[in-house]
Amino acid sequence: MRPSARLPGVLAALVLAAGGVAVAAPAASASVQDCTKYVVAHGKKSTSDIAQGCYQGSIGNQTSCVATLQQAGLSSSDAGGACRAAR
């Protein structure tokens, strides 16, 4: 039997996808850290809710970022600033 010609293509795609995730993960982590530092600098303690909001901001979901940070006790302007820091 002849091996499928698709197998090398599929394996190459998986390797490229894994490499893209490995490159994107540190950038997202740095954005979350920037956001968290902003929150702490504005007098709030870092919690899991803060981290979740910052993560939402780092992936581009600014509406959810602001809403989550406001629910965690940040003012509207501080939440907006933190989400901008997460970009």
Side-chain angles (χ1 to χ4, degrees), residues 23-86:
V23 170
S29 178
S31 296
V32 171
Q33 289 177 356
D34 291 342
C35 175
T36 304
K37 287 178 187 175
Y38 184 96
V39 169
V40 170
H42 285 82
K44 274 301 210 184
K45 194 174 169 188
S46 182
T47 64
S48 61
D49 291 338
I50 299 291
Q52 178 60 32
C54 289
Y55 172 74
Q56 290 297 321
S58 74
I59 62 171
N61 191 348
Q62 299 300 306
T63 303
S64 180
C65 176
V66 170
T68 302
L69 293 179
Q70 284 179 321
Q71 287 177 352
L74 267 71
S75 69
S76 178
S77 63
D78 285 346
C83 292
R84 283 189 296 279

